[in-house]
């Protein structure tokens, strides 16, 4: 049985942190994706039938949607809201000096540090209303790498990150290994990165989407982030009331992800699509402006992007009985495009190369038109086409 999260509670020794208040849910009748819910505590059930049903539910969820809700994973709502309060405190109290000192450099292949609300390049671009602080390995190693205002809370951020990576994600990968019909620790031992910090080769993001003013609402034609897939193993996004996240269904329709208090919204990254031979779906998703009833609210977000071992060139797990029995699925995005290179005898990128080029070539709705690259049409659907190290990436508009 997995132990619940037990964070530091020495709050009296720290600056007072105003409590984050979740905004109200939207009042509109939105078109929501029908995502399945996984109760992670059932992985420890002594009843084989319960575990078998859990594995089957996970198999369907990641094959059909690539997204799922994760519940009963060990962090309660009070503990989660404390982390949101800290994230809110960071955005409200980071100094101009720290913004400059810790300014990010995505053109170097990492999102580490502070993102100002002016696009997704190292140099200042158009206003996009999105600020972030991204914690990579170096941010956990040295207080010099983080804003001074969160120094007193780094023990809590570290404990939170460690629980997510070492407990929640490890259990989730156990479940996904069972879907592949492999030993429980297969993905954790052979694919997931591990190191001296809680984050390893992934990163934790505190993001704040500022509400647009009336004259800004038409920017990007309503999009805050283009459709994309994540490049790692799993992404753990805490469900929030301001409803902006949309996922791309197999029917070519964008649907909202509904708020589920306390739940983790989990999506599969490119790495797991590759290792599963397309059985796991890295689903395209995007961030849209919120519906009218929420357009005046800030959208505060906490996301953990779990990373794979950087030196690996991902191949399907050919030892998987599932893959041996059913083969691979080339209809998927990353797996299909990587296979094109392999069939030509061209080496595929390592995981490190793939995530770095994906960051460098990130496209955003506020980019200048010549930077967005070309649009293509596939089966009547318009996409942005990006070539990353010879791999064709299609991002639906």
């Amino acid at each position: 049985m997995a132990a619940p999260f037990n964070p530091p509670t020495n709050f009296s020794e720290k600056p007072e942190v105003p409590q984050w208040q979740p905004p109200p849910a939207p009042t509109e009748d939105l078109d929501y994706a029908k995502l399945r819910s996984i109760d992670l505590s059932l992985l420890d059930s002594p009843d084989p039938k319960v575990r078998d049903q859990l594995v089957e539910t996970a198999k369907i969820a990641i094959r059909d949607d690539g997204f799922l809700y994760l519940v009963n994973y060990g962090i309660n709502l009070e503990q989660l809201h404390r982390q949101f309060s800290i994230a809110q405190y960071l955005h409200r109290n980071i100094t101009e000096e720290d913004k400059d000192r810790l300014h990010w450099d995505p053109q170097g292949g990492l999102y580490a540090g502070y993102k100002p609300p002016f696009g997704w390049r190292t140099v200042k671009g158009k206003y996009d209303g999105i600020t972030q602080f991204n914690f990579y390995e170096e941010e956990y190693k040295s207080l010099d790498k983080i804003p001074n205002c969160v120094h007193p809370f780094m023990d809590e951020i570290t404990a939170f990150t460690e629980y997510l990576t070492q407990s929640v994600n490890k259990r989730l990968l156990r479940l996904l290994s069972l879907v592949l019909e492999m030993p429980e620790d297969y993905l954790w031992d052979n694919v997931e990165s591990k190191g001296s910090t809680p984050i390893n080769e992934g990163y934790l993001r505190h993001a704040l989407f500022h509400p647009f003013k009336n004259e800004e609402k038409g920017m990007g034609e309503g999009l805050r982030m283009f459709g994309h897939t994540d490049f790692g193993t799993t992404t753990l996004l805490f469900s929030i009331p301001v409803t902006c996240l949309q996922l791309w269904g197999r029917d070519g329709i964008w649907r909202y992800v509904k708020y589920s208090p306390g739940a983790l919204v989990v999506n599969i990254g490119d790495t797991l699509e590759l290792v599963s031979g397309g059985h796991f779906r890295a689903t395209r998703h995007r961030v849209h402006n919120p519906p009218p009833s929420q357009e005046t609210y800030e959208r505060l977000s906490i996301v953990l992007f779990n990373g794979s071992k950087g030196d690996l060139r991902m191949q399907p797990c050919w030892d998987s009985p599932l893959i041996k029995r059913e083969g691979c699925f080339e209809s998927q995005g990353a797996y299909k495009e990587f296979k094109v290179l392999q069939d030509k005898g061209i080496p595929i990128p390592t995981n490190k190369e793939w995530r770095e080029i994906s960051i460098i070539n990130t496209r955003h709705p506020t980019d200048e038109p010549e930077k967005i690259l070309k649009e293509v049409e596939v089966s009547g659907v318009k996409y942005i086409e990006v070539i990353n190290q010879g791999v064709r990436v299609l991002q639906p508009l």
Side-chain angles (χ1 to χ4, degrees), residues 206-238:
H206 287 177
L208 183 62
F209 291 73
H210 301 265
F212 275 159
K213 299 174 183 176
N214 284 333
E215 64 271 19
E216 298 163 346
K217 290 177 183 176
M219 294 176 60
E221 298 182 352
L223 291 180
R224 306 298 293 266
M225 294 177 67
F226 277 140
H228 63 281
T229 58
D230 295 337
F231 42 77
T233 52
T234 62
T235 300
L236 308 182
L237 167 69
F238 290 92

Side-chain angles (χ1 to χ4, degrees), residues 47 87 226 278 307 314-315 362 382:
D47 186 344
F226 277 140
M314 294 313 305
Q315 299 280 348
T362 294
K382 289 184 178 181

Side-chain angles (χ1 to χ4, degrees), residues 26 28-35 65 67 69 221-224 237 239-249 251 253-260 265 284-294 299:
E28 292 83 357
D29 183 16
L30 302 176
D31 185 12
Y32 289 112
K34 294 179 173 60
L35 300 183
D65 303 316
F67 269 74
Y69 291 115
E221 298 182 352
L223 291 180
R224 306 298 293 266
L237 167 69
S239 186
I240 50 179
V242 179
T243 303
C244 297
L245 179 64
Q246 296 179 329
L247 63 84
W248 177 253
D251 57 2
I253 295 176
W254 289 105
R255 290 185 174 88
Y256 287 98
V257 176
K258 191 172 184 177
Y259 175 48
S260 179
V265 179
R284 296 176 179 94
H285 53 285
R286 69 183 187 180
V287 180
H288 199 275
N289 280 341
S293 65
Q294 294 186 313
R299 179 180 184 262

